[in-house]
Amino acid sequence: MPIFRAPVEDTLFVLNDVLGYERHSNLAGFSDASPDVLEAILAEGAKLAENVMHPLNRVGDLEGCVRDDDGSVATPKGFKEAFDQYREGGWMGLAVPAEHGGQGLPYTVHSAVGEYMSSANMALMMYPGLTQGAIAALLVHGSDEQKATWLPKMVEGAWTGTMNLTEPHCGTDLGLLRSKAVPNGDGSYKISGQKIFISAGEHDMSDNIVHLVLARIEGAPEGVKGISLFIVPKFNLDASGNPGTRNAVSCGSLEEKMGIHGNATCVMNYDEAHGFLLGEANGGLKAMFTMMNEARLGVGLQGLAVSEVAYQNAVAYAKDRLQGRSLTGPKAPDKKADPIIVHPDIRRKLMTMKAFNEAGRALLLWTALNSDIAHRSEDEAERQAADDHMGLMTPVVKGVLTDKGFEHAVMAQQVFGGHGYIEEHGMSQFVRDARIAMIYEGANGVQALDLVGRKLGLNGGRAVQAFFKEVGEFCEANRADEQMAPYTKALKKGLNDLQAATMWLVQNGMTNPDDAGAASTDYMHLFGLVALGYMWAKMVKSAQDKLAAAADGSAAFYETKLVTGRYFMERVMPETAAHLARLSSGSATMMALPAEAF
Ligand SMILES: Cc1cc2nc3c(=O)[nH]c(=O)nc-3n(C[C@H](O)[C@H](O)[C@H](O)COP(=O)(O)OP(=O)(O)OC[C@H]3O[C@@H](n4cnc5c(N)ncnc54)[C@H](O)[C@@H]3O)c2cc1C
């Protein structure tokens, strides 16, 4: 049975010491989550994740969801009760403004707790996760009446939400979308079409399901410019606003899939279902993007969350499993063999995962904090800078944290040897669950294209220049600090590689777009390494400051940070050079062969 302990101490270090959480107490909601309240919230979230969500992870994997002939879907045993505890605890609306029934607390806090919950049970947490995405879209694009109608019950968790983009012939390229909306003449629409792969599309955990559906209004232009977003509930509301008659939307079948078995992935059939336009006609993609940006950060979080729980299990196994002797002489002479944690190659795996998880957590929380600043600051310049950061980092967080999340789930499985391949140890589930995060919410190749093709050049490169400046200034400010030198030197080298790659893209990507496409995944990972490296440099700086003042027995925590940061700089950061070399070789060889040669 896998174990899980929420890394609360580490989250608090990142928020309080590295990101200066308290400095933002002027932002709405932050003073309600002062550092001591924050600690209490994280502790409560940790308890729910460890004691309620985590024990159901394997149950969900083994049982999966079951569709009845009438189209209803049963979730695994215990899921509904766990979800009830989640919503009764107010977790659904933690970061939703109080005027809509939420607690108005920082999104940063929501993200911190979200990591614990997803480590504990990724499939279960997708039900509230999609609801929170739908709430975000309604908050931004809903009319006052729509907000009053749908939000209170969704924020309470009595109703859940979904996002319906994908159709059988239309995934990445939403311009191909065929679902149709015909005006009823009273402001509502009849929605028809088939959507596939819809997460949480049908289940037994809530009284109503609010589907957000992309469809084309009759006569609208072809392509992405003719797409609109609609609210289509499972149950139409009666005169008092309660679920009444059944709407013409149903789950035609459940996908049988590799992982996240506890989450219902549905084929949804809309047969002249009653729907309401959300946002502007033909402005559906923009409206959906509100939901998708939040959802992309949420998926990046899933990558980190699985990497963390897989790592924790690998550590426990490596301390317990006895095989062979240490290369430098027995470390457990009283036993017949040493625990495998003595072997450098096992250490390599554990340190790689540890170094990634801690920096990934910092990157994610830094981005979440910027989301709070972008939405809550009263200072326009500050809001803009934070929004720039969010836009730039969203594809990096999604693409890099999920690619690495999967890689590390496999790495953790490898620590178990053959036992990792056997289902009962739970490592196989982590691998299978982590795999989807690289695909949905825009496959990672498309995230890389978003970064290279859209985000880099936006507003004359303002966001990327600001990032380069911030990292460069950090290195410069700490140049004379001998203790920081090993970290800042490696970070500066990574930054130089990233700047060279950016310059290469500027010079080549415009004249030959295939060069930009061929470079994109390497560029995204190079960017991610520098962002993670910057997080490490900042964490090390904070740890050194704390160590200088530490007289409270907490030195070991900070000393561990220094070593782990050093490992990242020595063993992970050098990969920037390989990414730069690869991407600057261009697209010629990659594209040279005709399709028949494959
Ligand atoms: C378990 C699961 C849950 C899901 N949940 C939802 C959900 O709740 N709602 C929803 O709407 N959808 C959902 N999806 C759908 C998911 O978002 C899509 O599968 C994903 O966006 C990719 O679309 P596709 O599968 O059609 O692949 P395609 O678009 O056919 O892409 C195939 C491959 O080609 C690449 N590619 C495509 N176009 C380009 C391009 N222009 N340049 C370079 N590479 C390109 C992609 O990166 C990918 O690797 C889910 C999918 C799964 C498997």
Side-chain angles (χ1 to χ4, degrees):
M1 177 76 181
I3 53 151
F4 172 61
R5 284 287 159 268
V8 175
E9 189 185 13
D10 204 50
T11 309
L12 287 171
F13 168 68
V14 170
L15 289 177
N16 293 330
D17 301 322
V18 183
L19 299 178
Y21 174 83
E22 217 178 344
R23 274 205 321 269
H24 301 281
S25 58
N26 60 327
L27 297 180
F30 274 65
S31 57
D32 296 326
S34 56
D36 51 332
V37 176
L38 169 73
E39 202 169 332
I41 295 173
L42 296 186
E44 274 308 303
K47 255 199 271 171
L48 184 64
E50 291 167 3
N51 302 334
V52 178
M53 306 294 175
H54 177 62
L56 293 172
N57 199 34
R58 190 158 154 70
V59 177
D61 189 49
L62 290 173
E63 278 187 27
C65 296
V66 181
R67 179 185 174 277
D68 197 80
D69 288 344
D70 64 4
S72 62
V73 171
T75 51
K77 197 153 152 262
F79 267 42
K80 180 167 169 33
E81 291 73 16
F83 180 67
D84 283 345
Q85 285 198 44
Y86 179 88
R87 60 192 192 85
E88 281 158 16
W91 297 103
M92 184 73 94
L94 195 75
V96 176
E99 69 208 83
H100 298 293
Q103 301 193 47
L105 296 174
Y107 178 69
T108 312
V109 180
H110 163 88
S111 300
V113 175
E115 184 206 323
Y116 308 161
M117 301 284 180
S118 283
S119 282
N121 196 326
M122 176 173 155
L124 174 46
M125 286 316 296
M126 286 172 66
Y127 296 93
L130 281 146
T131 310
Q132 281 145 352
I135 290 171
L138 276 157
L139 277 172
V140 177
H141 302 284
S143 65
D144 288 347
E145 194 194 335
Q146 286 173 333
K147 286 182 197 165
T149 304
W150 304 105
L151 283 177
K153 291 287 186 188
M154 293 174 77
V155 174
E156 194 187 301
W159 300 349
T160 53
T162 69
M163 58 194 285
N164 289 238
L165 291 76
T166 310
E167 299 179 6
H169 60 285
C170 149
T172 304
D173 187 355
L174 290 168
L176 300 172
L177 193 133
R178 285 188 201 138
S179 288
K180 183 171 83 170
V182 180
N184 285 325
D186 60 356
S188 67
Y189 291 79
K190 286 191 191 73
I191 311 294
S192 302
Q194 188 177 65
K195 298 285 178 181
I196 62 165
F197 300 160
I198 304 308
S199 301
E202 177 60 48
H203 57 82
D204 54 4
M205 290 170 35
S206 64
D207 301 336
N208 205 354
I209 302 178
V210 182
H211 302 289
L212 297 192
V213 184
L214 283 184
R216 204 180 292 283
I217 298 175
E218 238 184 359
E222 292 284 302
V224 289
K225 293 206 170 103
I227 299 175
S228 304
L229 184 59
F230 296 88
I231 302 169
V232 186
K234 171 177 169 183
F235 290 103
N236 295 305
L237 302 187
D238 64 19
S240 347
N242 296 316
T245 56
R246 185 66 204 251
N247 203 357
V249 44
S250 60
C251 167
S253 61
L254 286 181
E255 305 293 354
E256 268 198 41
K257 55 193 192 293
M258 176 177 172
I260 52 163
H261 292 157
N263 196 269
T265 307
C266 305
V267 172
M268 298 301 297
N269 296 319
Y270 293 83
D271 188 11
E272 300 200 336
H274 203 197
F276 309 91
L277 184 66
L278 176 60
E280 287 175 19
N282 300 335
L285 215 54
K286 193 169 138 234
M288 195 53 116
F289 260 107
T290 312
M291 192 167 168
M292 278 160 59
N293 273 338
E294 187 143 315
R296 281 177 181 174
L297 291 181
V299 174
L301 183 145
Q302 290 180 329
L304 166 67
V306 180
S307 179
E308 172 66 32
V309 67
Y311 159 76
Q312 289 188 16
N313 283 279
V315 170
Y317 192 80
K319 287 181 179 172
D320 188 54
R321 176 71 172 169
L322 305 178
Q323 289 294 295
R325 285 293 183 193
S326 159
L327 296 172
T328 50
K331 296 293 180 290
D334 53 321
K335 302 208 167 106
K336 288 221 160 105
D338 284 334
I340 58 173
I341 197 164
V342 303
H343 303 310
D345 194 58
I346 293 289
R347 288 297 185 105
R348 174 184 65 78
K349 297 182 183 76
L350 298 180
M351 286 300 287
T352 300
M353 292 185 273
K354 180 174 170 58
F356 165 82
N357 292 345
E358 292 174 22
R361 180 168 302 117
L363 179 62
L364 199 112
L365 293 174
W366 184 37
T367 307
L369 181 60
N370 273 288
S371 167
D372 278 324
I373 297 169
H375 290 112
R376 301 178 191 218
S377 173
E378 307 218 321
D379 180 310
E380 200 188 327
E382 200 177 61
R383 272 204 314 271
Q384 185 190 74
D387 198 51
D388 281 355
H389 171 96
M390 282 278 297
L392 183 69
M393 284 299 170
T394 300
V396 177
V397 166
K398 198 285 181 179
V400 175
L401 297 199
T402 61
D403 274 359
K404 291 290 167 190
F406 176 71
E407 194 179 309
H408 293 157
V410 174
M411 205 179 262
Q413 186 185 38
Q414 190 75 7
V415 170
F416 279 68
H419 301 273
Y421 202 67
I422 305 303
E423 288 293 339
E424 77 177 86
H425 290 280
M427 303 310 283
S428 157
Q429 183 186 355
F430 295 140
V431 171
R432 290 183 286 102
D433 286 357
R435 184 66 184 84
I436 186 56
M438 300 162 72
I439 299 171
Y440 58 22
E441 285 311 328
N444 284 356
V446 175
Q447 301 298 327
L449 282 180
D450 178 44
L451 176 66
V452 164
R454 284 190 60 235
K455 301 296 172 57
L456 281 190
L458 219 56
N459 301 307
R462 192 173 67 202
V464 75
Q465 291 307 333
F467 176 71
F468 291 167
K469 184 162 175 277
E470 179 169 345
V471 179
E473 283 178 358
F474 181 92
C475 292
E476 188 56 33
N478 291 286
R479 206 153 63 108
D481 182 338
E482 255 177 54
Q483 281 186 310
M484 283 299 291
Y487 305 94
T488 48
K489 248 174 100 176
L491 176 59
K492 187 74 178 65
K493 163 83 178 61
L495 179 65
N496 289 345
D497 286 345
L498 180 59
Q499 286 175 314
T502 310
M503 189 55 74
W504 187 92
L505 276 173
V506 171
Q507 284 164 354
N508 298 275
M510 300 283 255
T511 43
N512 181 1
D514 271 350
D515 276 347
S520 56
T521 290
D522 275 300
Y523 185 82
M524 178 178 77
H525 279 281
L526 170 45
F527 207 111
L529 284 168
V530 174
L532 293 168
Y534 179 45
M535 292 298 99
W536 263 119
K538 282 174 76 78
M539 288 194 286
V540 162
K541 178 89 183 148
S542 301
Q544 283 178 348
D545 291 349
K546 293 300 269 189
L547 266 178
D552 57 357
S554 57
F557 177 86
Y558 301 114
E559 277 159 3
T560 302
K561 288 281 172 212
L562 304 190
V563 174
T564 313
R566 186 103 181 211
Y567 178 89
F568 187 90
M569 295 304 179
E570 289 173 359
R571 289 258 168 185
V572 186
M573 205 62 180
E575 288 166 19
T576 59
H579 287 299
L580 174 62
R582 271 207 293 264
L583 72 84
S584 47
S585 72
S587 64
T589 318
M590 194 182 282
M591 303 306 283
L593 297 178
E596 307 80 67
F598 289 89

